[in-house]
Amino acid sequence: MQELKTSLGRTYLTVDTDAGNQWIAVNWQGYLTADSIQEGARAYTAALAKSGFACVLNDTRAVRGPWDHSMDWVINVWAPNAAAAGLKYFALISTPETLADGSAANFYAQLKAFDADVFSTTEEAEQWLRRCQQRA
């Protein structure tokens, strides 16, 4: 497992290569800056490319605040790069009715590079990824 930390030593992202499920599991936490989003997204995209998997389980329930400040970069830079690294299915877990959930919905509405969906529970997201893997 890889942990990325802020300059104050707080973990803002964990990246786990889940060989059993054949996906990369990421867990974002706290307030995210444009720099932390870019560094974190690059880290788990590299893990995805190294693993050869096609799925990411992305948990944003512990994020505080919106991340719309990075939406343009996420959609126009990261998403095509992630697709090129092998990403086909992206399950985003978010807490309904939060500012971070609003960013998640905005992300989902604009995304075209790969299949993605937004879920409120880990179980729903994992089931969706498994269905996607079976279809592939």
Side-chain angles (χ1 to χ4, degrees), residues 27-42:
N27 189 353
W28 296 91
Q29 305 166 52
Y31 292 95
L32 302 177
T33 66
D35 287 342
S36 65
I37 287 172
Q38 290 182 23
E39 181 181 9
R42 286 185 188 111

Side-chain angles (χ1 to χ4, degrees), residues 24-103:
I24 303 299
V26 298
N27 189 353
W28 296 91
Q29 305 166 52
Y31 292 95
L32 302 177
T33 66
D35 287 342
S36 65
I37 287 172
Q38 290 182 23
E39 181 181 9
R42 286 185 188 111
Y44 75 78
T45 301
L48 180 77
K50 183 178 177 183
S51 72
F53 301 155
C55 300
V56 168
L57 179 66
N58 187 68
D59 193 337
T60 63
R61 290 177 291 184
V63 170
R64 303 293 170 243
W67 45 274
D68 289 321
H69 54 73
S70 294
M71 193 64 63
D72 185 61
W73 181 86
V74 168
I75 294 296
N76 297 307
V77 177
W78 171 77
N81 289 338
L87 182 57
K88 292 184 178 150
Y89 307 106
F90 187 85
L92 194 152
I93 308 167
S94 187
T95 303
E97 300 175 12
T98 65
L99 292 173
D101 187 59
S103 295

Side-chain angles (χ1 to χ4, degrees), residues 5-27:
K5 297 181 182 275
T6 67
S7 59
L8 299 175
R10 293 190 181 109
T11 299
Y12 68 88
L13 179 69
T14 58
V15 179
D16 184 26
T17 301
D18 186 337
N21 286 307
Q22 295 190 337
W23 60 54
I24 303 299
V26 298
N27 189 353

